[in-house]
Structure formats: structure tokens, C-alpha cells
Amino acid sequence: MTNKINEKVTDPDLVELAGLHVYQNPQIYDDPLEVNGKTFRVLDTRYDHPSGLDAMTVKCLETGEISVIYQGTQADAKYGKQDLKADAQLLSDLDVEQLDAAEEYYVEMKERYEHEGGVSYVAGNSLGGPLASNVVVEHPEDDIRCVTLNPALLPKGKMDPNREYSNIVNYFGSNDVLTKGLISLGLDDRIPGERRDISFGAPYAGLQFNNIGPFHTGYYGNNKPYVVAGEKINVSADDHIISSIWTGEPLYSGNTERIDITPEALDKLSNALIGDDLSVHGKYTSIDSYMNKSKLLVEQEGERFSARLNELQDKIEEITESHFSHPLFKGISTLAAPILLELDIWIALLGKAESFVRSINKVLDSPPLELVEHIINIDLNVANIFEPPRELLSQFKENIVDLLQGFKQLSEHLIPTLLSGGKQVVEDVFVNDLNAHYKIVNLNIEKVSKHIELFNFKTNFVRAEMVMRDKNLADSITNKGSLLAVAPSMLNSSGEPLTESDHMLVGMKLGDLILDESIAILTAFGNNVIQAVVGTLIGIVSALEGSLEATILQIKSKAKIDSVAIPMDFLGLYSNLANKVNAIAESAIAPLEEITGTLGGVRDGLTRVFFGFPNIVNEFKPFLQNAILDQFKLAEINILNGVSSSLHGELELLFEDIIYQLSEHKGNSITALHDTSQKVKADLETVREQIERITFS
């Protein structure tokens, strides 16, 4: 006997009532609630109960069934603090006042509407979940069905370990972080009944997509579509509960009861294949749109390749300069950095100091002071004093040039190759591989869409054939070569085969591999080139500081003639000489002290970079990761691809039931439909696998 679609209140109906409508606090006198083509009238409400309980009782006008719907946590409600208290108590083995109030409300409604069959269903989301399931636990004698969405748990000890609670079904959202938390803590065993995982909402992808609350309830913004990169995504939980095309039963517990394949059954199949947005083709149209937008985001990144490289080059220079923390190292990746100009100034200052020292000798050599010079025996050997610091300054300049060339090589040559995954070419390897894979995926999506249309065409063809047979026209159709004459070739057509892809074979982890390889290259370059030169420079600076200090000491000690004992001051010549020599010595020392004063800051900057290069790499890493693929765009791509993959999973589940219902039939036409449905499911699996390669997890 052929089953008709279940005319009772369905799980999707209860999920929508529990996740959406009850949170809007509908009143008895309000307009009826429209839910999935059914109309529900509010019979009673229990809002602002001192225990924190918020609930409503509704009646389905089409079926006459009555349901009690419990509201989840509403912290901002009049007694919202009681909700928070109840949430905390559920983690314990304490008695929860709100559980008792919820049970009392159920009993009251059951007795009030006993003449109408009593209460057939209880449902709730979040905190409303245990409020509903506790009713079943406490009233095993009642024939009631409980449906929850992302439920909280019951207090410890509430459940009977010897019962299966087969009349309780819990829908867990795969993107709900709060439900995932219960599972990871191993607390989901305190949620009675069957667990069914469904995918709605969007993967949590950072602060830009921080919508945990609305997704926990199963609905976003009062049942508005969730928009990602301009694409409207249906995140309503009830639309993602997959039910049999023919029986309306959710497809999560194995095969449904087998039906007879009649023209009416094929008509239902056709309507489910090609129809509204929730039909097979409607969902696949959404998939096509999501994946095209996802591909566009990747293409936009490809077009920004040069800009991403420039941003990377600017960022490595900015980070490095921040570690030097000295104005002389601005523009470190160019050969026009201020440090080079400063070196020329130091060399000039050294020459200036040397010139002053030479002038001391000239003063002492001029008559009639030769006698005084002879007496005090001053010997200021310019070569001995200035040759060591001059040599060190020359070495410092050479190594500074090496350092600047190293950073120039890093910025202009190494950084552009980092996006190539270690290849010594400037290539956007990750984005290029993504683009190549997307072309194949989107081509296959177009093919599968046509395969669905072909399956629908075959379904309608067989339906028409069956109708004609019912009218006893099969023989005449066969003889005249009409529909049945073309049936074999048409029904055997399977459409264009899908294209395989050898791209993105390690999925989005390819980005991590490129990142790791690039960081390793950058680290090796830093160790072998940058740190080696910086280490040498630190040594030269230390030696130069010591050499300049020695030079200053020599000038001070050898030019200090006022302490020398002179038998008699020839007409004050000695005093004049001492004053003049001391003044010139001070003038010689001043430029040397200017150099040493600057060297300290330079040495500190070099030391910070030498020991801090690993930190430079770590600070640069997120910018490199973002350059491989913009992280905000990656988050959008992840959502679009993740939703597309989930929709494929839903369609595969639906086709499992279609395949089952079309199997074990002797008619060639039904067998051909069965084979086509298997082909479509296999195609769906192939495309889903290809999408999952480019879905970040």
C-alpha cells in the first residue's frame, strides 16, 4: 500500500516553532503562525513566570494536534536571571525550579485539552530542550513526541539509564559552538533520546562572523537570510532537516517504509527535483551561486598579486625597522638608508678630529715654541692615533652596505618568491592552484545541475508512460514508435561525465604548507645572511667604540702640557702654549665624542635585530599568511564552500532514500530511474569531495 505524506505536525514544524516563533512571545489574540504550509493558533501562553519559564501552547489547524513549546534562555527577560540560574543548575544534580514549572505547565495543558486529544508534542531550543525532554522523562505513560534543537542537558540523575527514550529526537547543529562544547566535555550523554546532526548556520569564522547566538537558536535575525560576500544563505534550521519526499519522515534512522512507485509517487519526486528553493534543483542553484562567488573571491586575490607582494615588502621593512628602533635604519631595504649618510658624516668627523690634532703639532713646531716643545717632549703621531678607527669605520661601512644589500635581496627577491611555496620564481602558487581547481569544480556543478534536470525529465517521462499504461495504451505506443519507442535510448542517457581534478590534493592545508615552507626559507635567510652580517657589525661597533675611546685618551694625555714642570716661563709663552694646545685638543675630541654618542644607539639597534630576528619572522608570519590568501576573504570562502558542501550532504541523504525507493522494481523504466539516481548521488559525492579540498577547517 502506498504511503501518503504524513499529515501530522513534523519535526521541521516543531523546530521552527521552538527556534523562532516562541522567542517572539506570540499572544493568544495574535494572528495564527504560518509554519511550513501549516497554520498554528496560540491557545495559551505562560510568559514571565517567576521561575523564568516562558512557554506557549499551539494547535495545528490542519491536523488538530496540540504542542507545548518551551523557550530557551532569555537573559534580558523579566525573570532572565532565573534562566541563567537554571542553566547553571542543569550542570549539577540539583532540583531545577524551572524544570518543575515546565512539567506543571504541560500537565495543566494536557488536562485542559484532554477533550481534543491532549498534548501530542513538546519542543524546545537550548534551555527549552531539557524543559521539553524532562516532560517525557517524567511522563513515560503519555504518548508524546519531543523534538529539541541544540538542547542543554538534564541534571545528573534525571534520566532512567534503562530507557531508550525513542520518542525524543534532538537536532544538533554542526556549526553550533555551544552544542559542540557539550559534546567535547562528554556531557551529551545527559541529553535523552536520539541525536541527529544537521547543518545550518555558518562556520564560526572570526569576529566578522560572530553570530553564535542567532545560530544557536537555529534562526538568524528573525528568520532573515545570512549574507556572506553578497550571497544570501538560508540558515533556517528546519529547512535543513531532510525528510523523505514521499512519507515526510526525517531521513536519519535508516530507510523509510517502502512505497509503491505510482504516477502520483513520481509526480512527488518530480516536484521535489525541480521546484522552489528547497527542491533539489533549487538547492543546487544556490550551490552554483555560492561557488561562483567563492571562485570570484579567489580571482580577486589573483588580480591583487602585485599589491599583495608590495604589501609584504612594505611590511617586512616596517617590522624590521621597528626592531632596529633607530632612525638611521629607516629604509633598510634600500641602498639610500640614512645609516650610509651617517657613516660619511662619521668619516668626515674623524678627518676633522685628525686635522685638529695636526694643528697641535703645527703650533708646537712654530718658532719660538720649538724650545718649549723640546722641553715638554710632546709627540702626537697622527697616523698611530687615527689609523685604527679609520680602518674600523671602513670595515663598518663595507658591512653596512652588505646588510643593506641583504635586506634589499630579502625585500626585492626573496619575499616575492615566498608565495610560490619555495620555488625560486615569482608565482602565486596557492591562488593559481585554487583557481585551476575552481574551474573544474564549477564546471562539474554545471554538469550535475544538468544531470538533475535529466533525472527529472526521465521521471516525468516514466510517469507519462505509466499513465498511458494505466489507460491500456502501452501496446499502441510501442507499436507506433512514440514515447516507448524512444524510451531505451533516452532512459539510458547519463549525461556528460564529471571532470577529475589533480589540484588542491591536500585541500586548504596547501596554504599551511606554503606558509611553513616560506617561513623556513625566511628563517634560513635571516640566519645565513642577515644575522651573520649583523653579528659582524656588532663586533665592529664594539671595536670602534673602544678604538675611539683610546684615541680620545691619547689626545687628552699627550696634549696635556700644563702639568709639565718648566724651569721658567719664557715671557708667558708656556702658559699661552698650554691654553692653545688644550683648546685645540678639545676641538679634536668633540667630533670623536659625537661619533661615540651615536654608536651606542646603533649598537643597541643591531643587537635587537640580531637576537630578535625570530620575533621579526613571527610578527611577519600573519601578514604572509594573509598575503597567501586574504584571511577575511578566506573566511568568506570557507563559509560559502562549507555551506555548499553541507547542501551536497543533504542532497546525498535525500538521494539515498530515492535510490532505496526505486530499487527492487522489475520494470525497465524504474530500473533506469534507479540507475540514474545512483549516478546523480555519485556525482554529488564527487563534487562534495572536490569542494571539501578547498574548504578550510
Side-chain angles (χ1 to χ4, degrees):
M1 178 178 179
T2 302
N3 292 325
K4 294 183 178 180
I5 290 181
N6 195 330
E7 296 298 339
K8 293 184 177 181
V9 171
T10 66
D11 287 5
D13 299 337
L14 294 168
V15 164
E16 183 175 329
L17 287 166
L20 176 64
H21 296 288
V22 72
Y23 285 104
Q24 298 170 347
N25 291 357
Q27 304 296 328
I28 298 172
Y29 47 79
D30 288 347
D31 292 335
L33 308 175
E34 299 298 326
V35 181
N36 299 322
K38 298 185 182 73
T39 303
F40 291 82
R41 183 164 61 88
V42 179
L43 300 178
D44 186 80
T45 63
R46 193 61 47 90
Y47 304 134
D48 296 333
H49 189 274
S51 69
L53 175 69
D54 293 288
M56 68 178 183
T57 301
V58 297
K59 178 179 181 178
C60 178
L61 300 185
E62 286 80 7
T63 69
E65 296 168 303
I66 294 173
S67 307
V68 173
I69 312 297
Y70 296 100
Q71 198 177 101
T73 302
Q74 289 285 75
D76 295 332
K78 182 177 180 179
Y79 295 102
K81 290 183 179 179
Q82 293 299 108
D83 281 354
L84 298 177
K85 178 181 177 181
D87 286 330
Q89 290 175 332
L90 291 174
L91 296 170
S92 67
D93 57 358
L94 300 173
D95 290 333
V96 181
E97 181 184 3
Q98 197 169 142
L99 282 180
D100 296 336
E103 182 195 354
E104 292 170 2
Y105 181 64
Y106 160 75
V107 172
E108 179 184 339
M109 293 300 101
K110 180 180 73 170
E111 293 174 351
R112 180 186 301 180
Y113 298 105
E114 186 175 4
H115 64 287
E116 296 187 45
V119 175
S120 300
Y121 306 97
V122 289
N125 158 250
S126 191
L127 172 60
L131 300 183
S133 61
N134 183 62
V135 169
V136 175
V137 170
E138 296 296 331
H139 295 271
E141 73 283 356
D142 291 351
D143 183 21
I144 50 176
R145 179 175 175 80
C146 171
V147 173
T148 77
L149 175 68
N150 291 332
L153 65 163
L154 281 173
K156 189 176 182 180
K158 263 288 186 181
M159 293 168 52
D160 183 347
N162 298 316
R163 285 185 61 193
E164 293 185 0
Y165 300 105
S166 58
N167 52 341
I168 301 177
V169 174
N170 307 287
Y171 288 97
F172 282 26
S174 59
N175 294 314
D176 179 50
V177 295
L178 301 180
T179 301
K180 285 181 178 178
L182 289 178
I183 296 172
S184 65
L185 293 172
L187 297 174
D188 54 315
D189 60 354
R190 282 165 55 184
I191 300 175
E194 179 185 350
R195 167 182 161 183
R196 294 175 178 174
D197 294 332
I198 60 175
S199 181
F200 61 88
Y204 180 62
L207 294 178
Q208 300 93 337
F209 303 99
N210 191 359
N211 292 287
I212 295 175
F215 290 157
H216 181 63
T217 65
Y219 297 85
Y220 174 75
N222 197 22
N223 207 24
K224 294 179 181 178
Y226 183 55
V227 180
V228 176
E231 291 292 316
K232 294 180 179 179
I233 298 175
N234 179 2
V235 294
S236 300
D238 64 299
D239 288 340
H240 295 275
I241 298 175
I242 307 305
S243 302
S244 169
I245 290 169
W246 295 284
T247 67
E249 292 297 317
L251 299 174
Y252 299 92
S253 303
N255 296 322
T256 57
E257 183 180 351
R258 195 178 291 278
I259 65 168
D260 292 334
I261 301 301
T262 63
E264 292 76 18
L266 292 180
D267 189 49
K268 293 187 192 313
L269 174 58
S270 177
N271 290 335
L273 290 172
I274 307 286
D276 59 18
D277 291 343
L278 297 179
S279 68
V280 172
H281 196 268
K283 287 186 176 182
Y284 220 72
T285 299
S286 295
I287 290 172
D288 181 58
S289 182
Y290 299 156
M291 293 305 296
N292 273 306
K293 177 53 67 70
S294 185
K295 179 175 182 291
L296 178 62
L297 293 174
V298 173
E299 288 174 345
Q300 289 173 350
E301 282 300 277
E303 293 169 358
R304 289 189 63 253
F305 182 53
S306 295
R308 286 185 283 133
L309 284 181
N310 291 336
E311 289 167 5
L312 271 186
Q313 291 167 326
D314 292 343
K315 189 53 65 175
I316 192 68
E317 185 170 321
E318 176 186 326
I319 293 172
T320 303
E321 289 176 1
S322 71
H323 277 264
F324 274 115
S325 188
H326 198 290
L328 291 179
F329 291 100
K330 289 289 184 182
I332 190 66
S333 62
T334 70
L335 295 179
I339 186 66
L340 280 178
L341 178 61
E342 185 68 15
L343 269 167
D344 290 337
I345 294 173
W346 292 350
I347 293 171
L349 288 172
L350 190 66
K352 184 178 181 180
E354 183 178 2
S355 177
F356 278 118
V357 170
R358 289 184 187 278
S359 69
I360 293 176
N361 287 333
K362 288 180 181 180
V363 169
L364 295 174
D365 289 340
S366 61
L369 297 180
E370 290 143 329
L371 176 61
V372 176
E373 181 185 5
H374 176 73
I375 294 172
I376 61 178
N377 193 25
I378 294 177
D379 180 19
L380 288 173
N381 189 313
V382 175
N384 291 340
I385 294 176
F386 289 96
E387 190 58 35
R390 180 180 291 107
E391 179 62 28
L392 288 170
L393 274 176
S394 177
Q395 293 177 23
F396 189 75
K397 185 172 184 178
E398 289 177 5
N399 281 271
I400 281 292
V401 170
D402 289 342
L403 180 65
L404 298 181
Q405 288 178 335
F407 276 111
K408 182 179 176 67
Q409 182 183 354
L410 171 65
S411 177
E412 296 183 3
H413 300 287
L414 183 64
I415 294 298
T417 66
L418 294 184
L419 300 186
S420 69
K423 300 177 183 178
Q424 294 303 307
V425 293
V426 180
E427 181 183 350
D428 200 5
V429 63
F430 183 55
V431 170
N432 289 347
D433 209 42
L434 271 177
N435 269 320
H437 188 71
Y438 266 104
K439 289 179 182 178
I440 294 173
V441 171
N442 286 18
L443 175 63
N444 284 339
I445 287 174
E446 291 179 11
K447 292 179 180 178
V448 174
S449 183
K450 291 178 181 178
H451 295 174
I452 293 170
E453 293 173 359
L454 177 61
F455 182 43
N456 180 64
F457 181 77
K458 290 181 180 181
T459 299
N460 287 322
F461 183 95
V462 174
R463 176 183 174 280
E465 176 190 85
M466 294 177 72
V467 170
M468 290 183 181
R469 281 178 176 170
D470 289 343
K471 295 179 180 178
N472 297 319
L473 294 177
D475 290 339
S476 62
I477 293 173
T478 301
N479 295 333
K480 293 181 179 180
S482 56
L483 285 175
L484 289 180
V486 299
S489 61
M490 192 284 301
L491 291 177
N492 289 332
S493 173
S494 59
E496 188 178 356
L498 301 189
T499 303
E500 295 184 1
S501 172
D502 58 359
H503 300 280
M504 302 302 296
L505 296 181
V506 291
M508 290 296 273
K509 288 187 178 180
L510 178 61
D512 296 331
L513 294 177
I514 292 174
L515 180 64
D516 293 342
E517 180 67 26
S518 298
I519 290 299
I521 292 170
L522 185 59
T523 300
F525 183 87
N527 292 337
N528 298 331
V529 179
I530 303 299
Q531 284 183 294
V533 178
V534 170
T536 300
L537 283 168
I538 292 172
I540 294 174
V541 169
S542 297
L544 183 57
E545 286 179 307
S547 179
L548 289 172
E549 289 293 338
T551 300
I552 292 171
L553 284 175
Q554 285 191 68
I555 295 172
K556 285 182 177 179
S557 63
K558 292 192 176 185
K560 193 172 182 62
I561 64 174
D562 54 355
S563 62
V564 179
I566 301 294
M568 55 186 302
D569 189 351
F570 298 95
L571 302 176
L573 290 177
Y574 175 75
S575 299
N576 291 335
L577 173 63
N579 292 335
K580 193 169 187 178
V581 169
N582 286 337
I584 298 173
E586 288 177 5
S587 297
I589 291 170
L592 300 180
E593 290 180 335
E594 183 177 340
I595 296 173
T596 57
T598 309
L599 273 176
V602 170
R603 183 193 62 248
D604 291 345
L606 290 167
T607 303
R608 279 191 295 271
V609 170
F610 181 80
F611 290 105
F613 198 81
N615 294 329
I616 292 175
V617 174
N618 287 333
E619 289 178 32
F620 182 67
K621 186 174 181 178
F623 298 100
L624 176 58
Q625 184 179 31
N626 198 63
I628 291 172
L629 190 67
D630 180 271
Q631 296 302 289
F632 183 82
K633 278 195 173 72
L634 180 58
E636 293 181 318
I637 289 168
N638 180 42
I639 292 177
L640 294 171
N641 293 1
V643 170
S644 298
S645 176
S646 297
L647 288 174
H648 272 87
E650 294 176 5
L651 295 178
E652 289 168 30
L653 184 61
L654 185 68
F655 266 85
E656 283 181 12
D657 188 56
I658 293 173
I659 291 168
Y660 170 75
Q661 296 295 356
L662 294 177
S663 64
E664 298 184 11
H665 288 273
K666 295 181 179 180
N668 291 335
S669 297
I670 303 300
T671 299
L673 281 183
H674 172 264
D675 293 343
T676 301
S677 64
Q678 285 185 313
K679 177 65 169 59
V680 172
K681 181 174 182 290
D683 289 344
L684 291 169
E685 291 172 344
T686 296
V687 176
R688 175 169 56 83
E689 184 275 332
Q690 291 180 342
I691 291 175
E692 287 175 351
R693 293 191 211 172
I694 48 176
T695 304
F696 182 74
S697 58

